[in-house]
Amino acid sequence: MGRRNRNRQRDGGAEGKRSRDAGWGAGYADIVKENKLFEHYYQELKIVPEGEFEQFMEAMREPLPATIRITGYKSHAKEILHTLKEKYFKEIQDLEVDGQKIEAPQALSWYPDELAWHTNMSRKILRKSPLLEKFHQFLVSETESGNISRQEAVSMIPPLLLKIEPQHKILDMCAAPGSKTAQLIEMLHADMDVPFPEGFVIANDVDNKRCYLLVHQAKRLNSPCIMVVNHDASCMPRLLVEQNGKKDILFYDRVLCDVPCSGDGTMRKNIDVWKKWTTSNSLHLHGLQLRIAVRGVEQLAVGGRMVYSTCSLNPVEDEAVIASLLEKSEGALELVDASADLPGLKYMPGITSWKLMTKEGQWYSDWSEVPTSRHTQIRPTMFPPTDQEKLLSMKLERCMRILPHHQNTGGFFVAVLVKKAPMPWNRRQPKLRNKEATSFSEGAQAEEPPAEEGDGETPTEGHPCNSNAPENPPEPEAKKDGVCGPPPSKKMKLFGFKEDPFVFLTEDDPVFPPIQAFYDLSPDFPKLNVLTRTHEGKKRHLYMVSKELRNVLLNNSERMKVINTGVKVWSRNNDGEQFGCAFRLAQEGIYTLYPYIRARVINISVEDVKILLTEENPFLSRLGDDAHAQAKKLEMGSIVLRYQPDPNDPSAPQCPIELCGWRGKTSIRAFVPRNERLHYLRMVGVEVFRDKQGKKEGGAAATQEGNTEGQEEPGQEAATEQEGSDTEQNGSAESKTSDSKDVSST
């Protein structure tokens, strides 16, 4: 356990990974941006082209420009892009703040569809300048709504190189705080008309607290295809899924291996790296990085694609890991030339020769030069292969190193690998097992894993887990069909909060008939995908996951610790029982649920949207004639308010909008969280702005979360927004929420 704990500490505490995606460049003026050892080391390694080293160092000392990415899968991405270009970018260009001229933002040339932009504004200027206050509030609000992500430019590269398709099963091994995970989710939902893509993302992080930051990022996108788990990535458990009545090992089509690193590529943003940097950081992390990468390719399907990335420029963490991985694979892995995948991206090819330096300044060019006393810190895998023919066959020049001065970014390294065959240590026949496997349903037994990927020792020295999966555990006494409880404590040490179980509903659950009748759900509504988080008492919230994630959950409750999954689609409203249904619609899940709802839908106009989102509780008569007539025909209770774009009115939003609402006795109300209200108001041309004193301008009631007949108190709506967990979960939601706040603060 000692080794595992050390790995856990490194994984969670590495400088680069901790804050690489966490926010925009901000510095500490009192830290001197000098490190002679750093300069000497990289001058000697020659990773920077001849004659460019001074430019490289000058760029490293400059603050990192602010970059934003528009959420690409949502149908209103074009509307947000239009608002940014035509309103905010025009307002801020040519401004001068603290002697610095604000240049017009530029689209990242290599990011598709103009969905990523960078400016020369630092986080400090954005927060403190009154001239930029409206733009800052827009960014904060849209970020909270999941429509914009503030993310470092180079951090956007790995998900693009994975080439995600909606049917892909994806593993994000070291995911927190989750900017790249959000990109993966977006790509799965490329077609908004498909509520449940076949693929899914399993996002993992070793640090329990950081898992809740990850949940916060993922929940903004309201996807039923994301699961957050808490494991040591180098020991990621092998999962099982049921196919055609048999158990099979789950292999992933795509793996993102964005490992913990020393983070010297983030010096423009993480200023304290300047004084903390030493070559020892890379030497300490190399082994962990290699173990994580090995575990990643073990879980990758043949024909699948893995991206390995770091925000370090050091070849010990970069090419050395890739070279060792290729050598161990014996031809099962191939390094892919991804140069054509991101046209416009400037990068340096990977290097094939490097040497090591200790923090005392001692250089070693080969393992044979390393004295025995240093064999515990320096390992053979840190050096280039000595066999020149083997080195040439690896094609390490296909790796990509992004240098800060080439495109005004941070430093980064990325390599794309394709798996052509099973790993050599997984080809032998697995040991036969006599124990009964965990059953998917009563009496069923798990099949033996395929011979090509059976249990076997990995070749990585000191690998903490040599078996692919725990021995099949006996069924817990309290286990029930459709219930995925937390793993037994004897099988897996739990860190952090104890999670409530995931309980799937059966098709004949008594909760369904009133919901079915009230909303007239279509016959193809997937009832089996609905789950709750409690065994006993009334169900407070109902969630939905995709069929594929349900399969994973039901077959692996003893193998993994799940932090969060599913998107909330209904919340209990006890007063609603008198109107025929105790569950109201939840805004988070409306885009997932709407395709199945055939009743209680009111079609509204742009003017109706403005009224519903700026007035606290408008009378039915305030709606347009058409919407008013529809509303009068409906009984009291939860409703869907749907705006359908008019192609003949280009000034109006050209994408559908679905809002949850409540039809009261004489009034109507939209039940939409504050930031989403602001988002939809901007789309229809209403700007709501808070000045420094907190007073509102524009739509005075736009952020009001008032009460409505037969509805919950406004505080309850806010409570259901808690990130990482719901309030029903063992009283731990308060701490989890406080952890998650840091990701989105600006």
Side-chain angles (χ1 to χ4, degrees):
M1 290 304 293
R3 179 182 288 114
R4 182 171 180 177
N5 286 340
R6 286 200 300 274
N7 289 342
R8 179 177 180 274
Q9 185 180 6
R10 292 173 191 163
D11 199 348
E15 293 291 343
K17 185 61 183 170
R18 178 168 295 281
S19 54
R20 186 185 316 156
D21 304 326
W24 292 5
Y28 306 97
D30 55 336
I31 293 179
V32 179
K33 297 176 183 178
E34 293 286 344
N35 189 310
K36 295 300 180 187
L37 189 67
F38 173 87
E39 291 189 44
H40 175 58
Y41 182 69
Y42 282 114
Q43 272 183 317
E44 191 71 23
L45 286 184
K46 295 182 171 54
I47 64 164
V48 179
E50 191 76 29
E52 294 184 18
F53 197 81
E54 286 306 313
Q55 289 176 261
F56 167 74
M57 290 306 300
E58 284 175 19
M60 291 292 269
R61 294 186 179 100
E62 289 294 316
L64 190 68
T67 48
I68 60 174
R69 179 174 55 77
I70 299 169
T71 301
Y73 81 90
K74 292 193 173 180
S75 54
H76 30 147
K78 289 181 180 177
E79 300 291 331
I80 299 169
L81 179 59
H82 179 78
T83 302
L84 273 172
K85 290 169 73 172
E86 299 303 316
K87 178 175 173 57
Y88 292 103
F89 289 167
K90 285 185 176 179
E91 287 181 0
I92 64 176
Q93 67 183 17
D94 300 326
L95 286 177
E96 193 167 305
V97 179
D98 295 342
Q100 178 182 348
K101 186 179 179 182
I102 305 299
E103 298 170 1
Q106 299 293 321
L108 295 180
S109 60
W110 45 267
Y111 201 97
D113 303 323
E114 288 192 323
L115 292 178
W117 293 73
H118 77 97
T119 77
N120 70 331
M121 292 179 288
S122 71
R123 180 180 176 184
K124 180 180 178 182
I125 288 176
L126 270 171
R127 295 185 69 176
K128 293 191 174 180
S129 169
L131 298 172
L132 298 173
E133 181 68 18
K134 287 187 178 183
F135 183 47
H136 179 237
Q137 287 193 18
F138 168 80
L139 293 175
V140 171
S141 172
E142 294 294 338
T143 299
E144 279 296 305
S145 300
N147 300 306
I148 281 178
S149 290
R150 294 161 294 158
Q151 182 179 359
E152 189 176 342
V154 290
S155 171
M156 304 175 192
I157 295 171
L160 293 176
L161 294 179
L162 277 172
K163 296 187 175 180
I164 303 296
E165 295 176 12
Q167 75 276 12
H168 284 156
K169 297 171 177 60
I170 308 160
L171 173 63
D172 190 351
M173 299 189 75
C174 308
S179 298
K180 297 179 187 68
T181 310
Q183 274 180 276
L184 300 176
I185 297 170
E186 290 174 28
M187 295 172 186
L188 276 184
H189 289 273
D191 185 352
M192 277 291 286
D193 294 329
V194 180
F196 293 103
E198 289 182 31
F200 56 77
V201 178
I202 293 182
N204 172 72
D205 202 83
V206 70
D207 188 299
N208 185 266
K209 286 187 178 179
R210 282 163 58 80
C211 281
Y212 294 102
L213 304 184
L214 180 54
V215 169
H216 177 86
Q217 283 276 45
K219 280 175 75 80
R220 296 182 308 132
L221 300 179
N222 300 326
S223 169
C225 302
I226 169 74
M227 179 191 294
V228 176
V229 299
N230 181 200
H231 288 279
D232 179 347
S234 67
C235 223
M236 194 73 189
R238 176 152 287 171
L239 305 182
L240 298 176
V241 288
E242 176 158 312
Q243 292 181 341
N244 303 320
K246 297 178 179 180
K247 291 287 182 68
D248 283 321
I249 293 173
L250 171 61
F251 290 107
Y252 301 93
D253 303 296
R254 298 290 186 267
V255 173
L256 176 55
C257 190
D258 184 48
V259 296
C261 65
S262 60
D264 57 21
T266 69
M267 284 178 162
R268 300 183 68 178
K269 179 174 66 174
N270 302 323
I271 312 299
D272 56 346
V273 178
W274 281 97
K275 63 179 182 180
K276 292 180 179 179
W277 188 91
T278 170
T279 54
S280 297
N281 299 341
S282 297
L283 301 180
H284 291 155
L285 285 163
H286 170 88
L288 174 64
Q289 292 163 338
L290 182 53
R291 288 195 297 274
I292 293 174
V294 166
R295 196 59 181 157
V297 295
E298 284 179 340
Q299 304 231 19
L300 186 65
V302 173
R305 194 176 180 98
M306 183 174 98
V307 168
Y308 174 89
S309 61
T310 75
C311 55
S312 168
L313 302 173
N314 198 327
V316 174
E317 302 177 62
D318 300 339
E319 284 93 345
V321 173
I322 296 299
S324 181
L325 197 58
L326 290 169
E327 189 170 13
K328 293 175 193 301
S329 77
E330 298 177 9
L333 297 175
E334 180 185 356
L335 194 54
V336 175
D337 181 0
S339 57
D341 293 343
L342 296 177
L345 177 66
K346 295 178 183 177
Y347 68 92
M348 295 301 297
I351 59 176
T352 56
S353 175
W354 63 90
K355 49 188 178 178
L356 271 60
M357 184 178 75
T358 65
K359 62 181 178 182
E360 295 82 19
Q362 177 69 45
W363 287 95
Y364 300 109
S365 299
D366 187 79
W367 168 248
S368 60
E369 301 174 4
V370 181
T372 309
S373 59
R374 290 195 177 270
H375 281 189
T376 53
Q377 295 112 22
I378 299 175
R379 307 299 301 148
T381 54
M382 297 177 182
F383 294 92
T386 52
D387 185 332
Q388 288 303 304
E389 189 176 329
K390 184 182 289 185
L391 184 62
L392 283 172
S393 68
M394 289 180 177
K395 298 183 173 65
L396 290 179
E397 66 278 1
R398 291 180 173 179
C399 298
M400 305 165 77
R401 180 177 278 103
I402 292 90
L403 299 178
H405 64 292
H406 284 165
Q407 277 181 306
N408 197 15
T409 64
F412 206 70
F413 174 87
V414 63
V416 183
L417 295 154
V418 168
K419 187 173 181 179
K420 300 166 67 179
M423 302 309 288
W425 56 90
N426 288 138
R427 288 175 185 153
R428 65 182 185 177
Q429 187 74 20
K431 297 173 184 176
L432 293 175
R433 295 175 179 169
N434 296 320
K435 295 182 181 179
E436 238 179 41
T438 306
S439 59
F440 178 72
S441 59
E442 256 181 66
Q445 290 187 8
E447 291 295 309
E448 286 293 325
E452 58 138 21
E453 291 279 1
D455 290 344
E457 292 188 2
T458 65
T460 314
E461 297 175 26
H463 199 294
C465 54
N466 285 331
S467 62
N468 290 333
E471 283 297 316
N472 296 312
E475 195 77 20
E477 288 181 16
K479 177 85 172 177
K480 299 176 183 176
D481 285 346
V483 176
C484 305
S489 57
K490 288 184 180 178
K491 295 288 178 187
M492 185 184 303
K493 183 161 179 64
L494 300 181
F495 297 100
F497 304 104
K498 182 176 177 3
E499 294 297 326
D500 281 346
F502 295 84
V503 185
F504 283 96
L505 306 188
T506 59
E507 288 189 303
D508 57 356
D509 192 289
V511 78
F512 282 127
I515 292 177
Q516 181 93 37
F518 193 71
Y519 298 102
D520 189 19
L521 298 181
S522 60
D524 61 340
F525 175 72
K527 294 180 182 177
L528 290 176
N529 293 18
V530 179
L531 61 89
T532 184
R533 298 297 302 271
T534 179
H535 284 292
E536 300 168 359
K538 288 186 175 180
K539 301 170 180 67
R540 177 163 178 168
H541 305 294
L542 299 180
Y543 306 84
M544 290 191 77
V545 295
S546 64
K547 180 179 69 174
E548 288 74 16
L549 268 190
R550 178 183 186 273
N551 191 345
V552 174
L553 271 168
L554 286 174
N555 285 284
N556 298 281
S557 61
E558 285 81 26
R559 287 180 170 83
M560 61 181 183
K561 182 184 177 186
V562 180
I563 300 297
N564 193 278
T565 191
V567 59
K568 191 194 319 175
V569 288
W570 282 292
S571 288
R572 179 173 288 278
N573 172 28
N574 291 327
D575 290 341
E577 289 186 18
Q578 60 185 298
F579 312 124
C581 182
F583 285 90
R584 66 170 177 84
L585 297 164
Q587 182 66 29
E588 301 98 301
I590 191 61
Y591 287 96
T592 299
L593 204 56
Y594 178 76
Y596 302 101
I597 296 175
R598 300 186 297 182
R600 305 200 60 78
V601 178
I602 298 177
N603 293 305
I604 56 176
S605 65
V606 168
E607 290 306 312
D608 294 330
V609 172
K610 293 178 182 179
I611 290 169
L612 288 162
L613 295 181
T614 56
E615 298 185 18
E616 180 181 346
N617 211 16
F619 287 110
L620 294 174
S621 56
R622 293 282 290 126
L623 297 176
D625 293 342
D626 188 30
H628 186 198
Q630 295 173 62
K632 285 198 295 185
K633 295 177 183 177
L634 296 179
E635 299 295 325
M636 291 172 62
S638 188
I639 54 172
V640 180
L641 299 157
R642 178 173 170 82
Y643 163 78
Q644 192 68 23
D646 179 2
N648 298 318
D649 183 6
S651 63
Q654 293 301 300
C655 62
I657 297 174
E658 278 116 35
L659 308 175
C660 288
W662 186 269
R663 198 279 200 210
K665 191 173 183 179
T666 58
S667 62
I668 194 165
R669 186 202 153 176
F671 241 132
V672 182
R674 175 182 175 271
N675 286 311
E676 286 196 49
R677 284 175 177 254
L678 301 182
H679 164 68
Y680 290 123
L681 282 170
R682 291 187 190 101
M683 285 179 64
V684 295
V686 177
E687 178 63 32
V688 180
F689 171 65
R690 289 175 177 269
D691 62 20
K692 289 288 186 183
Q693 286 72 42
K695 297 175 182 176
K696 293 186 285 288
E697 299 174 8
T703 60
Q704 182 65 39
E705 294 262 307
N707 204 5
T708 251
E709 299 92 348
Q711 187 54 288
E712 300 174 339
E713 290 296 320
Q716 287 180 290
E717 175 69 11
T720 62
E721 299 294 328
Q722 299 198 39
E723 311 299 346
S725 180
D726 291 290
T727 50
E728 65 195 52
Q729 292 187 45
N730 301 325
S732 60
E734 184 178 347
S735 353
K736 297 174 186 176
T737 306
S738 64
D739 278 340
S740 68
K741 299 283 187 192
D742 298 334
V743 166
S744 58
S745 60
T746 59

PDB file of all heavy atoms in Angstrom, residues 639-650:
ATOM      1  N   ILE A 639     -44.637  22.004 -17.156  1.00  0.00           N
ATOM      2  CA  ILE A 639     -44.828  22.117 -18.605  1.00  0.00           C
ATOM      3  C   ILE A 639     -43.474  22.305 -19.299  1.00  0.00           C
ATOM      4  O   ILE A 639     -42.461  22.603 -18.655  1.00  0.00           O
ATOM      5  CB  ILE A 639     -45.730  23.312 -18.984  1.00  0.00           C
ATOM      6  CG1 ILE A 639     -45.180  24.602 -18.351  1.00  0.00           C
ATOM      7  CG2 ILE A 639     -47.165  23.071 -18.595  1.00  0.00           C
ATOM      8  CD1 ILE A 639     -45.883  25.854 -18.804  1.00  0.00           C
ATOM      9  N   VAL A 640     -43.484  22.146 -20.626  1.00  0.00           N
ATOM     10  CA  VAL A 640     -42.335  22.497 -21.465  1.00  0.00           C
ATOM     11  C   VAL A 640     -42.713  23.723 -22.278  1.00  0.00           C
ATOM     12  O   VAL A 640     -43.773  23.764 -22.905  1.00  0.00           O
ATOM     13  CB  VAL A 640     -41.956  21.344 -22.424  1.00  0.00           C
ATOM     14  CG1 VAL A 640     -40.756  21.752 -23.277  1.00  0.00           C
ATOM     15  CG2 VAL A 640     -41.659  20.075 -21.663  1.00  0.00           C
ATOM     16  N   LEU A 641     -41.830  24.732 -22.262  1.00  0.00           N
ATOM     17  CA  LEU A 641     -42.026  25.941 -23.051  1.00  0.00           C
ATOM     18  C   LEU A 641     -41.026  25.871 -24.201  1.00  0.00           C
ATOM     19  O   LEU A 641     -39.816  25.913 -23.984  1.00  0.00           O
ATOM     20  CB  LEU A 641     -41.776  27.178 -22.191  1.00  0.00           C
ATOM     21  CG  LEU A 641     -42.713  27.300 -20.976  1.00  0.00           C
ATOM     22  CD1 LEU A 641     -42.101  28.173 -19.896  1.00  0.00           C
ATOM     23  CD2 LEU A 641     -44.063  27.850 -21.419  1.00  0.00           C
ATOM     24  N   ARG A 642     -41.524  25.741 -25.430  1.00  0.00           N
ATOM     25  CA  ARG A 642     -40.631  25.494 -26.567  1.00  0.00           C
ATOM     26  C   ARG A 642     -40.701  26.619 -27.589  1.00  0.00           C
ATOM     27  O   ARG A 642     -41.780  26.986 -28.054  1.00  0.00           O
ATOM     28  CB  ARG A 642     -40.978  24.169 -27.236  1.00  0.00           C
ATOM     29  CG  ARG A 642     -40.121  23.865 -28.471  1.00  0.00           C
ATOM     30  CD  ARG A 642     -40.376  22.474 -28.987  1.00  0.00           C
ATOM     31  NE  ARG A 642     -39.763  22.224 -30.279  1.00  0.00           N
ATOM     32  CZ  ARG A 642     -38.490  21.879 -30.491  1.00  0.00           C
ATOM     33  NH1 ARG A 642     -37.679  21.766 -29.473  1.00  0.00           N
ATOM     34  NH2 ARG A 642     -38.037  21.656 -31.704  1.00  0.00           N
ATOM     35  N   TYR A 643     -39.535  27.152 -27.911  1.00  0.00           N
ATOM     36  CA  TYR A 643     -39.416  28.142 -28.981  1.00  0.00           C
ATOM     37  C   TYR A 643     -38.855  27.447 -30.217  1.00  0.00           C
ATOM     38  O   TYR A 643     -37.831  26.765 -30.156  1.00  0.00           O
ATOM     39  CB  TYR A 643     -38.483  29.284 -28.566  1.00  0.00           C
ATOM     40  CG  TYR A 643     -37.985  30.108 -29.733  1.00  0.00           C
ATOM     41  CD1 TYR A 643     -38.803  31.058 -30.328  1.00  0.00           C
ATOM     42  CD2 TYR A 643     -36.705  29.914 -30.251  1.00  0.00           C
ATOM     43  CE1 TYR A 643     -38.363  31.793 -31.420  1.00  0.00           C
ATOM     44  CE2 TYR A 643     -36.251  30.647 -31.339  1.00  0.00           C
ATOM     45  CZ  TYR A 643     -37.083  31.580 -31.922  1.00  0.00           C
ATOM     46  OH  TYR A 643     -36.649  32.308 -33.003  1.00  0.00           O
ATOM     47  N   GLN A 644     -39.556  27.599 -31.335  1.00  0.00           N
ATOM     48  CA  GLN A 644     -39.109  27.007 -32.602  1.00  0.00           C
ATOM     49  C   GLN A 644     -38.674  28.144 -33.518  1.00  0.00           C
ATOM     50  O   GLN A 644     -39.419  29.104 -33.728  1.00  0.00           O
ATOM     51  CB  GLN A 644     -40.263  26.222 -33.239  1.00  0.00           C
ATOM     52  CG  GLN A 644     -39.856  25.323 -34.395  1.00  0.00           C
ATOM     53  CD  GLN A 644     -38.984  24.152 -33.968  1.00  0.00           C
ATOM     54  OE1 GLN A 644     -39.012  23.751 -32.828  1.00  0.00           O
ATOM     55  NE2 GLN A 644     -38.193  23.631 -34.896  1.00  0.00           N
ATOM     56  N   PRO A 645     -37.443  28.091 -34.055  1.00  0.00           N
ATOM     57  CA  PRO A 645     -36.948  29.221 -34.850  1.00  0.00           C
ATOM     58  C   PRO A 645     -37.756  29.454 -36.125  1.00  0.00           C
ATOM     59  O   PRO A 645     -38.283  28.516 -36.724  1.00  0.00           O
ATOM     60  CB  PRO A 645     -35.508  28.810 -35.184  1.00  0.00           C
ATOM     61  CG  PRO A 645     -35.462  27.334 -35.007  1.00  0.00           C
ATOM     62  CD  PRO A 645     -36.460  27.005 -33.951  1.00  0.00           C
ATOM     63  N   ASP A 646     -37.824  30.724 -36.506  1.00  0.00           N
ATOM     64  CA  ASP A 646     -38.512  31.123 -37.738  1.00  0.00           C
ATOM     65  C   ASP A 646     -37.453  31.511 -38.767  1.00  0.00           C
ATOM     66  O   ASP A 646     -36.783  32.541 -38.626  1.00  0.00           O
ATOM     67  CB  ASP A 646     -39.430  32.311 -37.456  1.00  0.00           C
ATOM     68  CG  ASP A 646     -40.164  32.781 -38.712  1.00  0.00           C
ATOM     69  OD1 ASP A 646     -39.980  32.144 -39.776  1.00  0.00           O
ATOM     70  OD2 ASP A 646     -40.905  33.774 -38.619  1.00  0.00           O
ATOM     71  N   PRO A 647     -37.261  30.700 -39.817  1.00  0.00           N
ATOM     72  CA  PRO A 647     -36.222  31.004 -40.805  1.00  0.00           C
ATOM     73  C   PRO A 647     -36.463  32.318 -41.538  1.00  0.00           C
ATOM     74  O   PRO A 647     -35.545  32.878 -42.140  1.00  0.00           O
ATOM     75  CB  PRO A 647     -36.290  29.815 -41.776  1.00  0.00           C
ATOM     76  CG  PRO A 647     -37.622  29.172 -41.545  1.00  0.00           C
ATOM     77  CD  PRO A 647     -38.008  29.461 -40.133  1.00  0.00           C
ATOM     78  N   ASN A 648     -37.706  32.844 -41.484  1.00  0.00           N
ATOM     79  CA  ASN A 648     -38.016  34.105 -42.151  1.00  0.00           C
ATOM     80  C   ASN A 648     -37.675  35.319 -41.298  1.00  0.00           C
ATOM     81  O   ASN A 648     -37.835  36.458 -41.735  1.00  0.00           O
ATOM     82  CB  ASN A 648     -39.503  34.152 -42.532  1.00  0.00           C
ATOM     83  CG  ASN A 648     -39.859  33.054 -43.519  1.00  0.00           C
ATOM     84  OD1 ASN A 648     -39.104  32.779 -44.451  1.00  0.00           O
ATOM     85  ND2 ASN A 648     -41.007  32.408 -43.308  1.00  0.00           N
ATOM     86  N   ASP A 649     -37.215  35.075 -40.051  1.00  0.00           N
ATOM     87  CA  ASP A 649     -36.857  36.180 -39.154  1.00  0.00           C
ATOM     88  C   ASP A 649     -35.409  36.007 -38.704  1.00  0.00           C
ATOM     89  O   ASP A 649     -35.133  35.466 -37.636  1.00  0.00           O
ATOM     90  CB  ASP A 649     -37.796  36.197 -37.940  1.00  0.00           C
ATOM     91  CG  ASP A 649     -37.509  37.374 -37.020  1.00  0.00           C
ATOM     92  OD1 ASP A 649     -36.668  38.227 -37.384  1.00  0.00           O
ATOM     93  OD2 ASP A 649     -38.105  37.428 -35.916  1.00  0.00           O
ATOM     94  N   PRO A 650     -34.445  36.454 -39.520  1.00  0.00           N
ATOM     95  CA  PRO A 650     -33.026  36.232 -39.206  1.00  0.00           C
ATOM     96  C   PRO A 650     -32.554  36.949 -37.944  1.00  0.00           C
ATOM     97  O   PRO A 650     -31.520  36.605 -37.383  1.00  0.00           O
ATOM     98  CB  PRO A 650     -32.297  36.770 -40.448  1.00  0.00           C
ATOM     99  CG  PRO A 650     -33.271  37.697 -41.098  1.00  0.00           C
ATOM    100  CD  PRO A 650     -34.631  37.171 -40.784  1.00  0.00           C
TER     101      PRO A 650
END
